[in-house]
Amino acid sequence: MEALRAQFIDRCRDDLARLDALTEEHVEVAAIVHRLAGAAGSFGFPQVSRIAAAIDLRTRNGVPPSARELDVLKSDLRKVIGQGD
């Protein structure tokens, strides 16, 4: 399980870079948050899962994520990969 958790953290690093490069209207955001909503909690990151699930629900209902929501998610991802406070 530890190896899978390490892979998840590496993937979070990639997701963070992709989110930093995207605008909140971009379709790729929906794919990233959907995956994080489902996986983050399984690897011990319930806060990432909660914020990603909230964004996922909104995007599935046609509401783009706010800049604030994305900032919170990116901040949490930085903590996951060891770059946050």
Side-chain angles (χ1 to χ4, degrees):
M1 183 66 166
E2 193 57 37
L4 291 175
R5 188 173 194 270
Q7 287 176 340
F8 175 78
I9 292 169
D10 284 342
R11 180 98 189 234
C12 285
R13 188 174 285 110
D14 294 339
D15 289 342
L16 177 59
R18 289 168 46 205
L19 286 171
D20 280 339
L22 298 172
T23 64
E24 52 271 3
E25 293 84 24
H26 199 283
V27 171
E28 192 173 1
V29 170
I32 292 169
V33 299
H34 181 77
R35 189 178 43 71
L36 287 170
S42 299
F43 292 105
F45 304 104
Q47 179 62 23
V48 172
S49 183
R50 279 192 291 276
I51 188 67
I55 295 170
D56 184 44
L57 179 62
R58 290 169 50 81
T59 59
R60 284 187 285 130
N61 288 318
V63 180
S66 69
R68 172 77 176 122
E69 288 173 313
L70 291 177
D71 286 345
V72 170
L73 179 60
K74 289 188 281 185
S75 175
D76 286 345
L77 288 173
R78 284 184 186 90
K79 291 174 186 171
V80 167
I81 65 174
Q83 293 181 357
D85 16 42

